[in-house]
Amino acid sequence: VNTIGFALVDAASGSVASVITGRGVVINALCTGAIDEGDALIVDSAAASEDGVLKAGTTAGAVVAIALEARASGKGYTKVLTH
């Protein structure tokens, strides 16, 4: 999955959206599953309903952020550092 950054709002395909594209930016990103502080995060593209949600993973070339806090499970916002 290729990413250009983090959209500030939901956007439909072909729509205009404001996007954070820099590295080293601290944001609250929607994440799923168990995440430990310091985990590398990748886009969870396993199911369409999870598209754009981050999960812990180390796929080469796919890391988009680093977790700055831990979360036990489920889906919710987590503080991350963009990569």
Side-chain angles (χ1 to χ4, degrees):
V1 173
N2 294 324
T3 60
I4 62 166
F6 293 86
L8 295 178
V9 296
D10 287 344
S13 178
S15 296
V16 176
S18 295
V19 177
I20 296 172
T21 59
R23 289 181 172 206
V25 179
V26 176
I27 62 171
N28 286 317
L30 190 57
C31 299
T32 188
I35 296 173
D36 290 325
E37 187 175 325
D39 278 356
L41 302 172
I42 61 173
V43 176
D44 184 358
S45 58
S49 64
E50 296 295 320
D51 197 22
V53 177
L54 303 182
K55 67 177 183 178
T58 56
T59 303
V63 175
V64 296
I66 305 298
L68 296 178
E69 60 187 9
R71 64 175 297 103
S73 63
K75 189 187 306 182
Y77 288 96
T78 305
K79 189 183 300 183
V80 304
L81 179 69
T82 60
H83 187 270

